[in-house]
Amino acid sequence: ENALKLMRERAEAAEKEVETLTARCGELENGRKSARNALAEMASQNAKLVSAFAAKKDEVRALKASMTSSSALDEEVKAQGIEAKKALDVVKLELRAAREAAMARD
């Protein structure tokens, strides 16, 4: 009878241990699921950030190219302005010379 009682107590203790371990396993599984979900969310956010970074990088590249072509255009306009000024100076000199020649004839 004592042996039977001892066996029952051991069986009940083992049952409680199994219940405790089962509950703990459930908690661990829930923790894993939460961690997986959080990791998936982080991966999604990371993908969005990488995409946004790549878009901004392309935008910066385009702006730099635009600035370079703008600078080249500015230089070209400046050079044309200098050439026009030189041409105007030549025309002024020719006009002055023509006036002086005309005055000398009179």
Coordinates of all heavy atoms in Angstrom, one line a residue:
E1 N 0.8 -1.2 0.0 CA 0.0 0.0 0.0 C 0.9 1.3 0.0 O 0.6 2.2 -0.8 CB -0.9 0.0 1.3 CG -2.1 0.8 1.1 CD -3.0 0.7 2.2 OE1 -3.6 -0.4 2.5 OE2 -3.1 1.7 2.9
N2 N 1.9 1.3 0.8 CA 2.8 2.4 0.8 C 3.5 2.6 -0.5 O 3.7 3.7 -1.0 CB 3.9 2.2 1.9 CG 3.4 2.7 3.2 OD1 2.4 3.4 3.3 ND2 4.1 2.3 4.3
A3 N 3.9 1.5 -1.1 CA 4.5 1.5 -2.4 C 3.6 2.0 -3.5 O 4.0 2.8 -4.4 CB 5.0 0.1 -2.8
L4 N 2.3 1.6 -3.4 CA 1.3 2.1 -4.4 C 1.1 3.6 -4.2 O 1.0 4.4 -5.1 CB 0.0 1.4 -4.1 CG -1.1 1.6 -5.1 CD1 -0.7 1.3 -6.5 CD2 -2.3 0.8 -4.8
K5 N 1.1 4.1 -2.9 CA 0.9 5.5 -2.6 C 2.1 6.3 -3.1 O 1.9 7.3 -3.7 CB 0.7 5.7 -1.1 CG 0.5 7.1 -0.7 CD 0.3 7.2 0.8 CE 0.1 8.6 1.2 NZ 0.0 8.9 2.6
L6 N 3.3 5.7 -2.9 CA 4.5 6.4 -3.4 C 4.5 6.5 -4.9 O 4.9 7.5 -5.5 CB 5.7 5.6 -2.9 CG 7.1 6.2 -3.1 CD1 7.2 7.6 -2.5 CD2 8.2 5.3 -2.6
M7 N 4.0 5.4 -5.6 CA 4.0 5.4 -7.0 C 3.0 6.5 -7.5 O 3.2 7.2 -8.5 CB 3.6 4.0 -7.6 CG 4.8 3.1 -7.5 SD 4.4 1.4 -8.1 CE 4.1 1.8 -9.8
R8 N 1.8 6.6 -6.8 CA 0.8 7.6 -7.2 C 1.4 9.0 -7.1 O 1.2 9.8 -7.9 CB -0.4 7.4 -6.4 CG -1.3 6.4 -6.9 CD -2.7 6.4 -6.1 NE -3.3 5.2 -6.3 CZ -4.2 4.6 -5.5 NH1 -4.4 5.2 -4.3 NH2 -4.7 3.5 -5.8
E9 N 2.1 9.2 -6.0 CA 2.7 10.5 -5.7 C 3.7 10.9 -6.8 O 3.8 12.0 -7.3 CB 3.3 10.6 -4.3 CG 2.3 10.6 -3.2 CD 2.9 10.5 -1.8 OE1 4.1 10.4 -1.7 OE2 2.1 10.6 -0.8
R10 N 4.5 9.9 -7.1 CA 5.5 10.1 -8.2 C 4.8 10.3 -9.5 O 5.3 11.2 -10.3 CB 6.4 8.8 -8.3 CG 7.4 8.8 -7.1 CD 8.4 7.6 -7.4 NE 9.3 7.5 -6.2 CZ 10.1 6.5 -6.0 NH1 10.0 5.4 -6.8 NH2 10.9 6.5 -5.0
A11 N 3.8 9.6 -9.8 CA 3.1 9.8 -11.1 C 2.4 11.2 -11.1 O 2.5 11.9 -12.1 CB 2.0 8.7 -11.2
E12 N 1.8 11.6 -10.0 CA 1.2 12.9 -9.9 C 2.3 14.0 -10.1 O 2.1 15.0 -10.8 CB 0.5 13.1 -8.6 CG -0.8 12.4 -8.6 CD -1.5 12.5 -7.2 OE1 -1.0 13.2 -6.3 OE2 -2.5 11.8 -7.0
A13 N 3.4 13.8 -9.4 CA 4.6 14.8 -9.5 C 5.1 14.8 -11.0 O 5.3 15.9 -11.6 CB 5.7 14.4 -8.6
A14 N 5.2 13.6 -11.6 CA 5.6 13.5 -13.0 C 4.6 14.2 -13.9 O 5.0 14.9 -14.9 CB 5.8 12.1 -13.4
E15 N 3.3 14.0 -13.6 CA 2.3 14.7 -14.4 C 2.4 16.2 -14.3 O 2.3 16.9 -15.3 CB 0.9 14.2 -13.9 CG 0.0 13.6 -15.0 CD -1.3 13.1 -14.4 OE1 -2.2 14.0 -14.1 OE2 -1.4 11.9 -14.2
K16 N 2.6 16.7 -13.1 CA 2.7 18.1 -12.9 C 3.9 18.7 -13.6 O 3.9 19.7 -14.2 CB 2.8 18.5 -11.4 CG 1.5 18.4 -10.7 CD 1.6 18.7 -9.3 CE 0.2 18.5 -8.6 NZ 0.3 18.8 -7.1
E17 N 5.0 17.9 -13.6 CA 6.3 18.2 -14.3 C 6.0 18.3 -15.8 O 6.5 19.2 -16.4 CB 7.3 17.2 -13.9 CG 8.7 17.5 -14.6 CD 9.7 18.2 -13.8 OE1 9.5 18.2 -12.5 OE2 10.6 18.7 -14.3
V18 N 5.3 17.3 -16.3 CA 5.0 17.3 -17.7 C 4.1 18.6 -18.1 O 4.4 19.2 -19.1 CB 4.3 16.0 -18.1 CG1 3.7 16.1 -19.5 CG2 5.3 14.8 -18.0
E19 N 3.1 18.9 -17.3 CA 2.3 20.0 -17.5 C 3.2 21.3 -17.5 O 3.0 22.2 -18.4 CB 1.2 20.2 -16.4 CG 0.1 19.1 -16.6 CD -0.9 19.2 -15.5 OE1 -0.9 20.2 -14.7 OE2 -1.7 18.3 -15.4
T20 N 4.0 21.4 -16.5 CA 4.9 22.6 -16.4 C 5.8 22.7 -17.6 O 6.0 23.8 -18.2 CB 5.8 22.5 -15.1 OG1 4.9 22.4 -14.0 CG2 6.7 23.7 -14.9
L21 N 6.4 21.6 -18.0 CA 7.3 21.6 -19.1 C 6.5 21.9 -20.4 O 7.1 22.6 -21.3 CB 8.1 20.2 -19.2 CG 9.1 20.0 -18.1 CD1 9.7 18.6 -18.2 CD2 10.2 21.0 -18.2
T22 N 5.3 21.4 -20.5 CA 4.5 21.6 -21.7 C 4.2 23.1 -21.8 O 4.3 23.7 -22.9 CB 3.2 20.8 -21.7 OG1 3.6 19.4 -21.6 CG2 2.3 21.0 -22.9
A23 N 3.8 23.7 -20.7 CA 3.5 25.1 -20.7 C 4.8 25.9 -21.0 O 4.7 26.9 -21.8 CB 3.0 25.5 -19.3
R24 N 5.9 25.5 -20.5 CA 7.2 26.2 -20.8 C 7.5 26.1 -22.3 O 7.9 27.0 -22.9 CB 8.3 25.6 -19.9 CG 9.6 26.3 -20.1 CD 9.6 27.7 -19.5 NE 11.0 28.2 -19.7 CZ 11.2 29.4 -20.1 NH1 10.2 30.2 -20.4 NH2 12.4 29.9 -20.3
C25 N 7.3 24.9 -22.8 CA 7.5 24.7 -24.3 C 6.6 25.6 -25.1 O 7.1 26.2 -26.1 CB 7.3 23.3 -24.7 SG 8.6 22.2 -24.2
G26 N 5.4 25.8 -24.7 CA 4.5 26.7 -25.3 C 4.9 28.1 -25.3 O 4.9 28.9 -26.3
E27 N 5.4 28.5 -24.1 CA 6.0 29.9 -24.0 C 7.2 30.1 -24.9 O 7.3 31.1 -25.5 CB 6.4 30.1 -22.5 CG 5.2 30.2 -21.5 CD 5.7 30.3 -20.1 OE1 6.9 30.4 -19.8 OE2 4.9 30.2 -19.2
L28 N 8.0 29.1 -24.9 CA 9.2 29.2 -25.8 C 8.8 29.3 -27.3 O 9.4 30.1 -28.0 CB 10.2 28.0 -25.6 CG 10.9 28.0 -24.2 CD1 11.7 26.7 -24.1 CD2 11.8 29.2 -24.1
E29 N 7.8 28.5 -27.6 CA 7.3 28.5 -29.0 C 6.7 29.9 -29.4 O 7.0 30.4 -30.4 CB 6.3 27.4 -29.3 CG 5.9 27.2 -30.7 CD 7.1 26.9 -31.7 OE1 8.0 26.2 -31.3 OE2 7.0 27.4 -32.8
N30 N 5.9 30.4 -28.4 CA 5.4 31.7 -28.6 C 6.5 32.8 -28.7 O 6.4 33.7 -29.6 CB 4.4 32.1 -27.5 CG 3.1 31.3 -27.6 OD1 2.7 30.8 -28.6 ND2 2.5 31.3 -26.4
G31 N 7.5 32.6 -27.9 CA 8.7 33.6 -28.0 C 9.4 33.5 -29.3 O 9.7 34.5 -29.9
R32 N 9.5 32.3 -29.9 CA 10.1 32.1 -31.2 C 9.3 32.7 -32.3 O 9.8 33.4 -33.2 CB 10.3 30.6 -31.5 CG 11.5 30.0 -30.8 CD 11.7 28.6 -31.3 NE 12.6 27.9 -30.4 CZ 12.5 26.7 -30.0 NH1 11.4 25.9 -30.3 NH2 13.4 26.1 -29.2
K33 N 8.0 32.5 -32.2 CA 7.1 33.1 -33.2 C 7.2 34.6 -33.1 O 7.3 35.3 -34.2 CB 5.6 32.7 -33.0 CG 5.4 31.2 -33.4 CD 3.9 30.9 -33.1 CE 3.7 29.4 -33.4 NZ 2.3 29.0 -33.1
S34 N 7.2 35.2 -31.9 CA 7.3 36.6 -31.8 C 8.6 37.1 -32.4 O 8.7 38.2 -33.1 CB 7.2 37.1 -30.3 OG 5.9 36.8 -29.9
A35 N 9.7 36.4 -32.1 CA 11.0 36.8 -32.6 C 11.0 36.7 -34.1 O 11.6 37.6 -34.8 CB 12.1 35.9 -32.0
R36 N 10.4 35.7 -34.7 CA 10.4 35.5 -36.1 C 9.6 36.7 -36.7 O 10.0 37.3 -37.8 CB 9.8 34.2 -36.5 CG 10.8 33.1 -36.8 CD 10.1 31.9 -37.4 NE 10.3 30.8 -36.4 CZ 9.4 30.1 -35.8 NH1 8.1 30.3 -36.1 NH2 9.7 29.2 -35.0
N37 N 8.5 37.0 -36.1 CA 7.6 38.1 -36.6 C 8.4 39.4 -36.6 O 8.4 40.2 -37.5 CB 6.3 38.2 -35.9 CG 5.4 37.1 -36.2 OD1 5.5 36.4 -37.2 ND2 4.4 36.8 -35.3
A38 N 9.1 39.7 -35.4 CA 9.9 40.9 -35.3 C 11.0 40.9 -36.3 O 11.3 42.0 -36.9 CB 10.4 41.0 -33.9
L39 N 11.6 39.8 -36.5 CA 12.7 39.8 -37.5 C 12.2 40.0 -38.9 O 12.8 40.8 -39.7 CB 13.4 38.4 -37.5 CG 14.7 38.2 -38.3 CD1 15.7 39.3 -37.9 CD2 15.2 36.8 -38.1
A40 N 11.0 39.5 -39.2 CA 10.4 39.7 -40.5 C 10.1 41.2 -40.7 O 10.3 41.8 -41.8 CB 9.2 38.8 -40.7
E41 N 9.5 41.8 -39.7 CA 9.2 43.2 -39.7 C 10.5 44.1 -39.9 O 10.5 45.0 -40.7 CB 8.5 43.7 -38.4 CG 8.2 45.1 -38.3 CD 7.2 45.6 -39.4 OE1 6.4 44.8 -39.9 OE2 7.2 46.8 -39.8
M42 N 11.6 43.7 -39.2 CA 12.8 44.4 -39.3 C 13.4 44.2 -40.8 O 13.9 45.2 -41.3 CB 13.8 43.9 -38.3 CG 13.6 44.4 -36.9 SD 14.6 43.6 -35.6 CE 16.2 43.8 -36.3
A43 N 13.3 43.1 -41.3 CA 13.7 42.8 -42.7 C 12.9 43.7 -43.7 O 13.5 44.2 -44.6 CB 13.6 41.3 -43.0
S44 N 11.6 43.8 -43.4 CA 10.8 44.6 -44.3 C 11.2 46.1 -44.2 O 11.3 46.7 -45.2 CB 9.3 44.4 -43.9 OG 8.5 45.3 -44.6
Q45 N 11.4 46.5 -43.0 CA 11.8 47.9 -42.8 C 13.1 48.2 -43.4 O 13.4 49.2 -44.0 CB 11.8 48.3 -41.3 CG 10.5 48.4 -40.6 CD 9.6 49.5 -41.2 OE1 10.1 50.5 -41.5 NE2 8.3 49.2 -41.3
N46 N 14.0 47.2 -43.3 CA 15.4 47.3 -43.8 C 15.3 47.4 -45.4 O 16.0 48.2 -46.0 CB 16.2 46.1 -43.4 CG 17.7 46.3 -43.8 OD1 18.2 47.4 -43.7 ND2 18.3 45.3 -44.4
A47 N 14.4 46.6 -46.0 CA 14.3 46.6 -47.4 C 13.8 48.0 -47.9 O 14.2 48.6 -48.9 CB 13.3 45.5 -47.9
K48 N 12.8 48.6 -47.1 CA 12.3 49.9 -47.4 C 13.4 51.0 -47.3 O 13.5 51.8 -48.2 CB 11.1 50.3 -46.5 CG 9.9 49.5 -46.8 CD 8.8 49.8 -45.8 CE 7.6 48.9 -45.9 NZ 6.5 49.2 -44.9
L49 N 14.2 50.9 -46.3 CA 15.2 51.8 -46.1 C 16.3 51.7 -47.2 O 16.8 52.7 -47.7 CB 15.9 51.6 -44.7 CG 15.0 52.1 -43.5 CD1 15.7 51.6 -42.2 CD2 14.8 53.6 -43.5
V50 N 16.6 50.5 -47.5 CA 17.6 50.3 -48.6 C 17.1 50.9 -49.9 O 17.8 51.5 -50.7 CB 18.0 48.8 -48.7 CG1 18.8 48.5 -50.0 CG2 18.8 48.3 -47.5
S51 N 15.8 50.6 -50.2 CA 15.2 51.2 -51.4 C 15.2 52.7 -51.4 O 15.5 53.3 -52.4 CB 13.8 50.6 -51.5 OG 13.2 51.1 -52.6
A52 N 14.8 53.3 -50.3 CA 14.8 54.7 -50.1 C 16.2 55.3 -50.3 O 16.4 56.3 -50.9 CB 14.2 55.1 -48.8
F53 N 17.2 54.6 -49.7 CA 18.6 55.1 -49.8 C 19.1 55.0 -51.2 O 19.7 56.0 -51.7 CB 19.5 54.2 -48.9 CG 21.0 54.5 -49.0 CD1 21.5 55.6 -48.4 CD2 21.8 53.7 -49.8 CE1 22.8 55.9 -48.5 CE2 23.1 54.0 -49.9 CZ 23.7 55.1 -49.3
A54 N 18.7 53.9 -51.9 CA 19.1 53.8 -53.3 C 18.5 54.9 -54.2 O 19.1 55.5 -55.0 CB 18.8 52.4 -53.9
A55 N 17.2 55.2 -53.9 CA 16.5 56.3 -54.7 C 17.2 57.6 -54.4 O 17.4 58.4 -55.3 CB 15.1 56.3 -54.3
K56 N 17.5 57.9 -53.1 CA 18.2 59.2 -52.8 C 19.5 59.2 -53.4 O 20.0 60.3 -53.9 CB 18.3 59.3 -51.3 CG 17.0 59.7 -50.6 CD 16.5 61.0 -51.1 CE 15.2 61.4 -50.5 NZ 14.6 62.6 -51.0
K57 N 20.2 58.1 -53.4 CA 21.6 58.1 -54.0 C 21.5 58.4 -55.5 O 22.3 59.2 -56.1 CB 22.2 56.7 -53.8 CG 23.6 56.6 -54.1 CD 24.2 55.2 -53.7 CE 25.6 55.1 -54.0 NZ 26.1 53.8 -53.7
D58 N 20.5 57.8 -56.2 CA 20.2 58.1 -57.6 C 19.9 59.6 -57.8 O 20.4 60.2 -58.8 CB 19.1 57.2 -58.2 CG 19.5 55.8 -58.3 OD1 20.8 55.5 -58.3 OD2 18.6 54.9 -58.5
E59 N 19.1 60.1 -56.9 CA 18.7 61.5 -57.0 C 19.9 62.4 -56.8 O 20.1 63.4 -57.6 CB 17.7 61.8 -55.9 CG 17.1 63.2 -55.9 CD 16.1 63.4 -54.8 OE1 15.4 62.4 -54.4 OE2 15.9 64.6 -54.4
V60 N 20.8 62.1 -55.9 CA 22.0 62.9 -55.7 C 22.9 62.8 -56.9 O 23.4 63.8 -57.4 CB 22.8 62.4 -54.4 CG1 24.2 63.0 -54.4 CG2 22.0 62.8 -53.2
R61 N 23.0 61.6 -57.5 CA 23.8 61.4 -58.7 C 23.3 62.3 -59.8 O 24.0 62.9 -60.6 CB 23.8 59.9 -59.1 CG 25.0 59.5 -59.9 CD 25.0 58.0 -60.2 NE 25.4 57.3 -59.0 CZ 24.8 56.2 -58.5 NH1 23.8 55.7 -59.1 NH2 25.3 55.6 -57.4
A62 N 21.9 62.3 -60.0 CA 21.3 63.1 -61.1 C 21.5 64.6 -60.8 O 21.8 65.3 -61.8 CB 19.8 62.7 -61.1
L63 N 21.4 65.0 -59.5 CA 21.6 66.4 -59.2 C 23.1 66.8 -59.5 O 23.3 67.9 -60.0 CB 21.3 66.7 -57.8 CG 19.8 66.7 -57.4 CD1 19.6 66.8 -55.9 CD2 19.1 67.9 -58.1
K64 N 24.0 65.9 -59.2 CA 25.4 66.2 -59.4 C 25.7 66.3 -60.9 O 26.4 67.2 -61.4 CB 26.3 65.1 -58.8 CG 26.5 65.2 -57.4 CD 27.5 64.2 -56.9 CE 27.7 64.3 -55.4 NZ 28.6 63.2 -54.9
A65 N 25.1 65.4 -61.7 CA 25.2 65.4 -63.2 C 24.6 66.7 -63.7 O 25.1 67.4 -64.6 CB 24.5 64.2 -63.8
S66 N 23.4 67.1 -63.1 CA 22.8 68.3 -63.6 C 23.7 69.6 -63.2 O 23.8 70.5 -64.0 CB 21.4 68.5 -62.8 OG 20.9 69.7 -63.1
M67 N 24.3 69.5 -62.1 CA 25.1 70.6 -61.7 C 26.3 70.7 -62.6 O 26.8 71.8 -63.0 CB 25.6 70.5 -60.2 CG 24.4 70.8 -59.2 SD 24.9 70.5 -57.5 CE 26.3 71.5 -57.3
T68 N 26.9 69.6 -62.9 CA 28.1 69.5 -63.8 C 27.7 70.1 -65.1 O 28.4 70.9 -65.7 CB 28.6 68.1 -63.9 OG1 28.9 67.6 -62.6 CG2 29.8 68.0 -64.8
S69 N 26.6 69.6 -65.7 CA 26.2 70.1 -67.0 C 25.8 71.6 -66.9 O 26.0 72.4 -67.8 CB 25.0 69.3 -67.6 OG 23.9 69.4 -66.8
S70 N 25.2 72.0 -65.8 CA 24.9 73.4 -65.6 C 26.1 74.2 -65.5 O 26.2 75.3 -66.1 CB 24.1 73.5 -64.2 OG 23.1 74.4 -64.3
S71 N 27.1 73.7 -64.8 CA 28.4 74.4 -64.7 C 29.1 74.5 -66.1 O 29.6 75.6 -66.5 CB 29.4 73.7 -63.8 OG 28.9 73.8 -62.5
A72 N 29.0 73.5 -66.9 CA 29.5 73.5 -68.2 C 28.8 74.5 -69.1 O 29.4 75.2 -69.9 CB 29.5 72.1 -68.8
L73 N 27.5 74.5 -68.9 CA 26.6 75.5 -69.7 C 27.0 76.9 -69.2 O 27.1 77.8 -70.1 CB 25.2 75.2 -69.4 CG 24.2 76.0 -70.2 CD1 24.4 75.8 -71.7 CD2 22.7 75.7 -69.8
D74 N 27.1 77.1 -67.9 CA 27.5 78.4 -67.4 C 28.9 78.9 -68.0 O 29.0 80.0 -68.5 CB 27.6 78.4 -65.9 CG 26.3 78.4 -65.2 OD1 25.2 78.5 -65.9 OD2 26.2 78.1 -64.0
E75 N 29.8 78.0 -68.1 CA 31.1 78.3 -68.7 C 31.0 78.6 -70.1 O 31.6 79.5 -70.6 CB 32.1 77.1 -68.4 CG 32.5 76.9 -67.0 CD 33.2 78.1 -66.4 OE1 34.1 78.7 -67.1 OE2 32.9 78.5 -65.3
E76 N 30.1 77.8 -70.8 CA 29.9 78.1 -72.3 C 29.3 79.5 -72.5 O 29.7 80.2 -73.3 CB 29.1 77.0 -72.9 CG 28.9 77.1 -74.4 CD 28.1 76.0 -74.9 OE1 28.0 74.9 -74.4 OE2 27.4 76.2 -76.0
V77 N 28.3 79.8 -71.7 CA 27.6 81.1 -71.8 C 28.6 82.2 -71.5 O 28.7 83.2 -72.1 CB 26.4 81.2 -70.9 CG1 25.9 82.6 -70.7 CG2 25.3 80.2 -71.4
K78 N 29.5 82.0 -70.4 CA 30.5 83.0 -70.1 C 31.5 83.2 -71.2 O 31.8 84.3 -71.5 CB 31.2 82.5 -68.8 CG 32.1 83.6 -68.2 CD 32.9 83.1 -67.0 CE 32.0 82.8 -65.8 NZ 32.7 82.3 -64.7
A79 N 31.9 82.1 -71.8 CA 32.8 82.2 -72.9 C 32.2 82.9 -74.1 O 32.9 83.8 -74.7 CB 33.3 80.8 -73.3
Q80 N 30.9 82.6 -74.4 CA 30.2 83.3 -75.5 C 30.1 84.8 -75.2 O 30.2 85.6 -76.1 CB 28.9 82.7 -75.7 CG 28.9 81.3 -76.4 CD 27.5 80.7 -76.5 OE1 26.6 81.2 -76.0 NE2 27.5 79.6 -77.2
G81 N 29.9 85.1 -73.9 CA 29.8 86.5 -73.5 C 31.1 87.3 -73.7 O 31.1 88.4 -74.2
I82 N 32.2 86.6 -73.4 CA 33.5 87.2 -73.5 C 33.8 87.4 -75.0 O 34.3 88.5 -75.4 CB 34.6 86.3 -72.9 CG1 34.5 86.4 -71.4 CG2 36.0 86.7 -73.3 CD1 35.3 85.3 -70.6
E83 N 33.4 86.4 -75.8 CA 33.6 86.5 -77.3 C 32.8 87.7 -77.8 O 33.3 88.5 -78.7 CB 33.3 85.2 -78.0 CG 34.3 84.1 -77.7 CD 35.7 84.4 -78.2 OE1 35.8 85.0 -79.3 OE2 36.6 84.2 -77.4
A84 N 31.5 87.8 -77.4 CA 30.7 88.9 -77.8 C 31.2 90.2 -77.5 O 31.2 91.2 -78.2 CB 29.3 88.7 -77.3
K85 N 31.8 90.3 -76.2 CA 32.4 91.6 -75.8 C 33.6 91.9 -76.6 O 33.7 93.1 -77.0 CB 32.7 91.5 -74.3 CG 33.2 92.8 -73.7 CD 33.4 92.7 -72.2 CE 33.6 94.0 -71.6 NZ 35.0 94.4 -71.6
K86 N 34.4 91.0 -76.9 CA 35.6 91.2 -77.8 C 35.1 91.7 -79.2 O 35.7 92.6 -79.7 CB 36.4 89.9 -77.9 CG 37.2 89.6 -76.7 CD 38.0 88.3 -77.0 CE 38.7 87.9 -75.7 NZ 39.4 86.6 -76.0
A87 N 34.1 91.0 -79.7 CA 33.6 91.4 -81.0 C 33.0 92.8 -81.0 O 33.2 93.6 -81.9 CB 32.5 90.4 -81.5
L88 N 32.3 93.2 -79.9 CA 31.8 94.5 -79.7 C 32.9 95.6 -79.7 O 32.8 96.6 -80.3 CB 30.9 94.6 -78.5 CG 30.2 95.9 -78.2 CD1 29.3 96.3 -79.4 CD2 29.4 95.9 -76.9
D89 N 34.0 95.2 -78.9 CA 35.1 96.1 -78.8 C 35.8 96.4 -80.2 O 36.1 97.5 -80.5 CB 36.2 95.6 -77.8 CG 35.7 95.6 -76.4 OD1 34.7 96.4 -76.1 OD2 36.3 94.9 -75.5
V90 N 35.9 95.3 -81.0 CA 36.4 95.4 -82.3 C 35.5 96.3 -83.2 O 36.0 97.2 -83.9 CB 36.6 94.0 -83.0 CG1 36.9 94.1 -84.5 CG2 37.7 93.2 -82.3
V91 N 34.2 96.1 -83.1 CA 33.3 96.9 -83.9 C 33.4 98.4 -83.4 O 33.4 99.3 -84.3 CB 31.8 96.4 -83.7 CG1 30.8 97.4 -84.3 CG2 31.7 95.1 -84.4
K92 N 33.5 98.7 -82.1 CA 33.7 100.0 -81.6 C 34.9 100.7 -82.2 O 34.9 101.9 -82.6 CB 33.7 100.0 -80.1 CG 32.4 99.9 -79.4 CD 32.5 99.9 -77.9 CE 31.2 99.7 -77.2 NZ 31.4 99.7 -75.7
L93 N 36.0 99.9 -82.2 CA 37.3 100.4 -82.7 C 37.1 100.7 -84.2 O 37.6 101.8 -84.7 CB 38.4 99.4 -82.5 CG 38.9 99.3 -81.0 CD1 40.0 98.2 -81.0 CD2 39.6 100.6 -80.6
E94 N 36.5 99.8 -84.9 CA 36.3 100.1 -86.4 C 35.4 101.3 -86.6 O 35.7 102.1 -87.5 CB 35.7 98.8 -87.0 CG 36.6 97.7 -87.1 CD 36.0 96.4 -87.6 OE1 34.7 96.4 -87.8 OE2 36.7 95.4 -87.9
L95 N 34.4 101.5 -85.8 CA 33.5 102.6 -85.9 C 34.2 103.9 -85.6 O 34.1 104.9 -86.3 CB 32.3 102.4 -84.9 CG 31.2 103.5 -85.0 CD1 30.6 103.7 -86.4 CD2 30.1 103.3 -84.0
R96 N 35.0 103.9 -84.6 CA 35.8 105.1 -84.2 C 36.8 105.4 -85.3 O 36.9 106.6 -85.7 CB 36.6 104.8 -82.9 CG 37.4 106.1 -82.5 CD 38.1 105.9 -81.1 NE 37.2 105.5 -80.1 CZ 37.5 104.5 -79.2 NH1 38.7 104.0 -79.2 NH2 36.6 104.2 -78.2
A97 N 37.4 104.4 -85.9 CA 38.4 104.6 -87.0 C 37.6 105.2 -88.2 O 38.1 106.1 -88.9 CB 39.1 103.3 -87.3
A98 N 36.4 104.6 -88.5 CA 35.7 105.1 -89.6 C 35.2 106.6 -89.4 O 35.3 107.4 -90.3 CB 34.4 104.3 -89.8
R99 N 34.9 107.0 -88.2 CA 34.5 108.3 -87.9 C 35.7 109.3 -88.0 O 35.5 110.4 -88.6 CB 34.0 108.4 -86.4 CG 32.5 108.0 -86.3 CD 32.1 108.3 -84.8 NE 30.7 107.7 -84.6 CZ 30.3 107.3 -83.5 NH1 31.0 107.4 -82.4 NH2 29.1 106.8 -83.4
E100 N 36.8 108.8 -87.5 CA 38.0 109.6 -87.6 C 38.4 109.8 -89.1 O 38.8 111.0 -89.5 CB 39.2 109.0 -86.8 CG 39.0 109.1 -85.3 CD 40.1 108.4 -84.5 OE1 40.9 107.8 -85.1 OE2 40.0 108.4 -83.3
A101 N 38.3 108.8 -89.9 CA 38.6 108.9 -91.3 C 37.6 109.8 -92.0 O 38.0 110.6 -92.9 CB 38.6 107.5 -92.0
A102 N 36.3 109.7 -91.6 CA 35.3 110.6 -92.2 C 35.6 112.1 -91.8 O 35.4 113.0 -92.7 CB 33.9 110.2 -91.8
M103 N 36.0 112.3 -90.6 CA 36.3 113.7 -90.2 C 37.5 114.3 -90.8 O 37.6 115.5 -91.2 CB 36.4 113.7 -88.6 CG 35.1 113.5 -87.9 SD 35.5 113.5 -86.1 CE 34.7 115.0 -85.7
A104 N 38.4 113.4 -91.1 CA 39.7 113.8 -91.7 C 39.4 114.2 -93.1 O 40.0 115.1 -93.7 CB 40.7 112.7 -91.7
R105 N 38.4 113.6 -93.8 CA 38.1 113.9 -95.2 C 37.4 115.2 -95.3 O 37.4 115.9 -96.3 CB 37.2 112.8 -95.8 CG 38.0 111.6 -96.3 CD 37.1 110.7 -97.0 NE 37.1 109.5 -96.2 CZ 36.1 108.6 -96.2 NH1 35.1 108.7 -97.0 NH2 36.2 107.5 -95.5
D106 N 36.6 115.6 -94.3 CA 35.8 116.8 -94.3 C 36.7 118.0 -94.1 O 37.2 118.8 -94.3 CB 34.7 116.8 -93.3 CG 33.6 115.8 -93.6 OD1 33.5 115.5 -94.8 OD2 32.9 115.4 -92.6

